[in-house]
Amino acid sequence: MKKRIHFGFVLVYALVSYFCSCSAFYLPGLAPVSFCEDGKGGEDCQTEIQLFVNRLDSVESVLPYEYDVFDFCKDAKEMRPSENLGQVLFGERIESSPYKFKFKQDEKCKAVCTKNYKKGNQDDTTKLDFLKMGMHLNYQHHWIIDNMPVTWCYDVEDGQKYCNPGFPIGCFVTGDGRAKDACVINAEFNKKNTYYVFNHVDIKITYHSGAEEGWRGARLVAATLEPKSIKNTDEKNPSCEGGNPMEVPGEFNSDVSVVYTYSVTFEENNSIKWASRWDYILVSMPHTNIQWFSIMNSLVIVLFLSGMVAMIMLRTLHKDIARYNQVDQEDLIKLPSSKEKSFLPHEDAQEESGWKQVHGDVFRPPRKGMLLSVFLGQGAQISIMTFITLFLACLGFLSPANRGALMTCAVVLWVLLGTPAGYVSARLYKTFGGEKWKTNVLLTALLCPGIVFADFFLMNLILWVEGSSAAIPFGTLVAILALWFGISVPLTFVGAYFGFKKPAIEQPVRTNQIPRQIPEQSFFTKPIPGIVMGGILPFGCIFIQLFFILNSIWSHQMYYMFGFLFLVFIILLITCSEATILLCYFHLCAEDYHWWWRSFLTSGFTAVYLFIYAVHYFFSKLQIIGAASTILYFGYTMIMVLIFFLFTGTIGFFACFWFVNKIYSVVKVD
């Protein structure tokens, strides 16, 4: 039997590893674009390469801004490609730029535009101050060519090369001569209290020729650049070789003129396939070994918990149940005052453990049963949404190439999964003996989503005030409300209708009319210590993975390892279930039958550790400054904590619900 279980575990692990291979980056069916030289193009082959620009962000500020806010060169015929819901919610603002290239036509030091700032002009002073602020906070450009980020590749420690999907707009040397951020790359950036604008870029576009592949033209497989600061005085005849860097003094005492230029070269490389053109970016992120360490760490925790649960189920409970049920008929004493067939074991065999003594109270409805059922309904909705989203991402459907697809998928799934939320909430509320079904349905549909939307709306107000590109347009907010009230709420009503229509969940034992008195509990079996201890092991499974997730959200690093994330998600489900079952068994043995809320809060307390870790991450890893950025960070963190609380609490509750029903249905005590 053990060999079969071990083989099954290995088989499942191998299948998950195969399907969740982190090489599945691309959305299946994403069509490549072919490029041809000028004069040889057609409908199936483009000749012009359009460079798009995205929002600018910084690790020192939560506030992203649109490209145009910094007074960079604008496209004469500006156009914005259509954006999905996820891109809008993440604050992405993609637009065309004046950087346009002809395929295989190299350009050298071509001027784009000149920006002049006149001393004494208030409008120019405001624009220049905003540009300085961007350099001071190390705001990063994000450029896109053929739906692929233009990267800045540079050497890091141990001779490794890191390819950053963004590059700074400039850098700053402080008043005491300390070079900040990118200013360390050039010894000429040494003037105190001076800003250096990266106004020139050397772009290299690598393509794969289709001459031997059976398709016309060529396909772009890489786009890299190197930012430079070069002072040009003549826009008509710019010189991009040598010269002094483009300085912007800290004090605006004289006119400033910034000439933006670029150079572009094309390089053929047929060894890089189009389907793997993101590899050079992802390989430069050295996280694989750490990820496997996280998986092994989590598996050890799961094996430890599984061993303890197996010991309880196979040894302790098995002996208790066997001793209880194998009492001979002749040793049973009939109660003369009872009209029913109630029996008690003989005194010699009557050594019941604590969990059997509370059989008449273990299914007594909990206090605040409506609130618990509402939480469980929303938790079920979130759990199913998370599983499907991660599974699709693991298969490659929600790759980085398909921008905003992850958030769009999550929102759409949540809206469509209102029926399970209403069904679970209604069924449990009816089992608890509740009768206010209208209130239950309304709270299920509105309470938790309302809290999230209120928090989100307040954060959006701050973004509006700050003029950030992450501010959601009013039309999008109306669309979100329409999805919520037009689709999710009606589906919740439908689920609740079927949930109330079905009979209450049948309990294996009857509940006594008079509650049993709970004996004095030890410190470790009291509610608060047990709940606090219950969230430690599940959090231990995820904290390494959590570091990379927070990096992708707040440090703007690319996250693509959904295979690892899906494995950790499965391990988290198992750990929450087993930890809650263990503590539930210990509390029942201590004759404490209040397990309904405790099972939910035990695994749900993992969210509190998540919040503590987020606070630690804020103060130790991030360099965020400013009151607005701080409020935004903790505001969005609270949304994440609430969602995680509902998810983990629901998993622990249903695991404990199954466990309690299982053991008392086997014993069949009345």
Side-chain angles (χ1 to χ4, degrees):
M1 181 67 179
K2 292 183 179 179
K3 290 183 178 179
R4 291 181 180 178
I5 295 175
H6 178 70
F7 175 76
F9 173 78
V10 172
L11 180 61
V12 171
Y13 181 79
L15 288 173
V16 172
S17 299
Y18 174 76
F19 285 114
C20 299
S21 172
C22 60
S23 63
F25 302 134
Y26 274 89
L27 175 72
L30 188 66
V33 179
S34 297
F35 293 91
C36 296
E37 297 180 53
D38 193 19
K40 299 180 181 179
E43 293 183 358
D44 61 337
C45 196
Q46 301 181 13
T47 59
E48 185 176 80
I49 300 174
Q50 172 69 65
L51 188 147
F52 289 90
V53 293
N54 202 344
R55 63 172 187 179
L56 286 85
D57 52 37
S58 169
V59 296
E60 299 183 29
S61 175
V62 179
L63 301 168
Y65 291 99
E66 288 194 53
Y67 179 83
D68 292 343
V69 177
F70 289 92
D71 195 37
F72 295 126
C73 301
K74 298 181 181 180
D75 191 8
K77 297 181 180 179
E78 187 176 289
M79 63 176 182
R80 293 178 178 269
S82 58
E83 296 173 340
N84 56 43
L85 180 61
Q87 288 178 284
V88 177
L89 291 177
F90 271 125
E92 292 196 18
R93 298 293 184 268
I94 300 176
E95 59 187 78
S96 60
S97 74
Y99 298 86
K100 297 177 175 64
F101 324 118
K102 292 292 185 180
F103 181 66
K104 293 184 70 173
Q105 289 186 11
D106 295 350
E107 297 281 358
K108 187 169 181 64
C109 199
K110 184 174 181 178
V112 183
C113 73
T114 302
K115 293 295 181 178
N116 297 305
Y117 303 95
K118 302 293 184 182
K119 177 187 174 183
N121 187 305
Q122 186 59 42
D123 187 43
D124 288 347
T125 301
T126 302
K127 292 179 180 178
L128 190 61
D129 286 344
F130 198 85
L131 183 63
K132 290 179 184 177
M133 181 276 295
M135 290 185 281
H136 187 77
L137 296 180
N138 194 28
Y139 270 81
Q140 305 271 319
H141 284 284
H142 292 283
W143 290 2
I144 303 167
I145 289 179
D146 191 28
N147 199 37
M148 184 174 55
V150 183
T151 58
W152 178 32
C153 298
Y154 52 87
D155 294 329
V156 291
E157 297 178 355
D158 301 328
Q160 295 181 341
K161 178 168 287 190
Y162 175 69
C163 291
N164 187 4
F167 67 96
I169 64 176
C171 60
F172 175 58
V173 177
T174 62
D176 57 359
R178 182 171 57 89
K180 287 188 61 180
D181 304 315
C183 278
V184 299
I185 64 176
N186 193 334
E188 294 183 4
F189 299 163
N190 53 20
K191 192 173 291 187
K192 296 181 180 179
N193 193 27
T194 302
Y195 297 87
Y196 293 91
V197 183
F198 291 140
N199 59 328
H200 176 81
V201 287
D202 287 328
I203 304 173
K204 183 174 73 172
I205 299 176
T206 307
Y207 62 92
H208 183 105
S209 175
E212 300 178 359
E213 299 291 340
W215 34 265
R216 184 167 174 251
R219 294 173 181 175
L220 308 187
V221 293
T224 60
L225 59 75
E226 182 181 355
K228 294 180 179 179
S229 179
I230 301 174
K231 185 174 183 179
N232 286 304
T233 56
D234 187 3
E235 179 185 356
K236 296 182 180 180
N237 297 300
S239 175
C240 301
E241 297 295 334
N244 297 323
M246 183 63 235
E247 300 175 358
V248 178
E251 300 293 333
F252 191 12
N253 297 324
S254 59
D255 295 348
V256 176
S257 180
V258 182
V259 179
Y260 290 92
T261 57
Y262 73 90
S263 299
V264 61
T265 57
F266 289 84
E267 180 181 273
E268 181 178 342
N269 188 337
N270 294 331
S271 63
I272 304 176
K273 301 296 183 183
W274 184 88
S276 58
R277 62 178 184 166
W278 286 66
D279 286 4
Y280 81 98
I281 305 174
L282 305 178
V283 169
S284 69
M285 302 178 183
H287 299 329
T288 305
N289 294 334
I290 299 177
Q291 292 285 346
W292 280 116
F293 170 77
S294 171
I295 298 294
M296 293 299 105
N297 172 66
S298 302
L299 284 175
V300 169
I301 295 176
V302 168
L303 291 175
F304 169 73
L305 287 175
S306 300
M308 294 191 67
V309 171
M311 182 179 65
I312 290 175
M313 296 293 290
L314 298 178
R315 297 184 59 184
T316 308
L317 283 177
H318 178 72
K319 289 181 180 179
D320 286 347
I321 293 171
R323 186 169 62 247
Y324 190 88
N325 289 332
Q326 289 178 359
V327 178
D328 295 332
Q329 188 72 21
E330 58 199 33
D331 293 332
L332 298 176
I333 303 174
K334 186 174 183 180
L335 295 176
S337 60
S338 175
K339 296 181 180 180
E340 300 179 354
K341 293 182 178 180
S342 298
F343 299 94
L344 287 175
H346 191 269
E347 292 181 358
D348 296 337
Q350 190 180 4
E351 285 189 12
E352 295 187 0
S353 59
W355 65 272
K356 285 185 297 219
Q357 294 181 14
V358 296
H359 66 84
D361 299 273
V362 72
F363 289 105
R364 189 176 302 282
R367 298 176 181 176
K368 308 291 183 182
M370 179 180 289
L371 183 62
L372 179 59
S373 64
V374 169
F375 283 173
L376 291 170
Q378 278 295 319
Q381 186 177 9
I382 293 171
S383 301
I384 300 172
M385 175 204 73
T386 306
F387 177 82
I388 297 176
T389 302
L390 290 182
F391 185 72
L392 292 176
C394 183
L395 295 179
F397 285 93
L398 308 177
S399 67
N402 193 14
R403 304 173 189 277
L406 187 70
M407 178 61 75
T408 303
C409 178
V411 172
V412 171
L413 284 173
W414 180 85
V415 169
L416 297 177
L417 289 170
T419 302
Y423 180 83
V424 170
S425 178
R427 193 83 194 280
L428 288 173
Y429 183 63
K430 189 173 184 179
T431 302
F432 296 157
E435 297 178 352
K436 300 179 180 179
W437 61 272
K438 294 180 181 178
T439 306
N440 174 261
V441 175
L442 289 174
L443 288 177
T444 303
L446 303 177
L447 179 61
C448 296
I451 295 174
V452 173
F453 184 81
D455 189 337
F456 184 78
F457 183 75
L458 290 175
M459 298 303 104
N460 202 51
L461 284 179
I462 297 175
L463 294 170
W464 273 340
V465 172
E466 296 291 334
S468 173
S469 65
I472 307 301
F474 180 76
T476 304
L477 286 177
V478 173
I480 293 174
L481 289 174
L483 290 174
W484 179 14
F485 287 101
I487 301 178
S488 180
V489 172
L491 288 177
T492 305
F493 290 167
V494 172
Y497 170 78
F498 287 105
F500 281 115
K501 192 176 181 180
K502 284 202 169 188
I505 300 175
E506 184 179 355
Q507 312 295 358
V509 292
R510 290 201 303 256
T511 302
N512 297 332
Q513 293 184 353
I514 302 175
R516 176 187 178 89
Q517 184 177 0
I518 299 175
E520 184 68 23
Q521 299 292 302
S522 65
F523 174 78
F524 294 102
T525 56
K526 289 182 179 179
I528 294 180
I531 291 171
V532 171
M533 289 187 296
I536 295 177
L537 290 179
F539 178 75
C541 294
I542 65 167
F543 80 97
I544 296 179
Q545 193 69 227
L546 183 62
F547 171 76
F548 296 110
I549 294 175
L550 292 178
N551 273 349
S552 68
I553 296 174
W554 303 113
S555 296
H556 313 296
Q557 295 185 10
M558 192 174 296
Y559 190 89
Y560 67 96
M561 295 167 286
F562 294 108
F564 289 115
L565 185 59
F566 188 76
L567 283 176
V568 172
F569 172 78
I570 299 299
I571 292 172
L572 176 64
L573 296 183
I574 300 172
T575 308
C576 284
S577 303
E578 292 179 340
T580 308
I581 288 174
L582 278 176
L583 290 173
C584 179
Y585 174 74
F586 294 149
H587 294 142
L588 291 176
C589 287
E591 301 180 27
D592 185 352
Y593 50 83
H594 295 307
W595 64 273
W596 299 97
W597 270 106
R598 186 176 294 183
S599 63
F600 182 84
L601 296 175
T602 296
S603 54
F605 201 81
T606 310
V608 177
Y609 291 110
L610 185 150
F611 177 75
I612 295 173
Y613 183 82
V615 174
H616 164 74
Y617 181 85
F618 177 82
F619 288 105
S620 63
K621 303 297 182 183
L622 295 181
Q623 306 169 2
I624 290 178
I625 58 176
S629 294
T630 303
I631 295 173
L632 288 168
Y633 176 85
F634 285 103
Y636 287 128
T637 298
M638 291 307 299
I639 294 177
M640 184 168 59
V641 168
L642 174 60
I643 293 174
F644 195 72
F645 169 72
L646 295 173
F647 163 66
T648 53
T650 301
I651 297 302
F653 174 87
F654 281 110
C656 195
F657 184 80
W658 169 84
F659 173 75
V660 173
N661 275 272
K662 189 72 174 177
I663 61 174
Y664 284 100
S665 63
V666 172
V667 174
K668 294 182 181 178
V669 288
D670 285 322

